[in-house]
């Protein structure tokens, strides 16, 4: 039987203007650490104004950066605990 020990909540906030969208991602980990990341999307002048699409692109880029930071953090913890260099964790 599986038991859920923890849950993570990821927050995404967006700032937008006519040409650009910025997404800020934040996850608070059970150990008290916070990991933050940003993502951006730019609208080409010939594209129609679709804020939702900009949010999706910027949000995906922020979440991708957040994932990479979490992988780097995990590598450091593996290395510290084992005393050796860990192999890459593939996405």
């Amino acid at each position: 039987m599986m038991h859920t020990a923890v849950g993570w909540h990821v927050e995404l906030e967006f700032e937008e203007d006519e040409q650009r969208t910025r997404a800020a991602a934040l996850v608070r980990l059970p150990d008290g650490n916070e990991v933050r990341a940003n993502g951006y999307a730019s609208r080409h002048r010939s594209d129609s104004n679709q804020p939702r699409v900009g949010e999706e692109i910027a949000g995906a880029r922020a979440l991708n950066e957040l994932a990479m930071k979490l992988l780097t953090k995990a590598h450091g913890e593996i290395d510290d605990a084992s005393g050796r260099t860990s192999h890459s964790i593939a996405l």
Side-chain angles (χ1 to χ4, degrees):
M1 177 188 312
M2 302 248 325
H3 295 278
T4 301
V6 297
W8 293 4
H9 295 275
V10 176
E11 296 177 23
L12 280 172
E13 293 182 356
F14 300 94
E15 292 179 359
E16 300 175 85
D17 62 29
E18 292 295 316
Q19 298 298 320
R20 200 163 147 93
T21 303
R22 175 184 171 267
L26 164 70
V27 63
R28 289 182 183 90
L29 301 174
D31 65 4
N33 286 307
E34 292 182 349
V35 181
R36 298 172 184 267
N38 294 294
Y40 300 90
S42 297
R43 182 174 68 87
H44 189 272
R45 64 183 171 273
S46 66
D47 292 338
S48 63
N49 190 9
Q50 298 181 53
R52 182 184 49 80
V53 173
E55 289 169 4
E56 290 170 353
I57 293 169
R61 289 175 174 164
L63 291 171
N64 186 54
E65 181 183 327
L66 189 67
M68 297 309 296
K69 287 183 174 186
L70 287 167
L71 284 170
T72 299
K73 182 179 182 307
H75 270 292
E77 291 172 0
I78 291 167
D79 294 351
D80 290 346
S82 68
R84 58 185 167 78
T85 302
S86 57
H87 294 285
S88 245
I89 300 172
L91 287 176

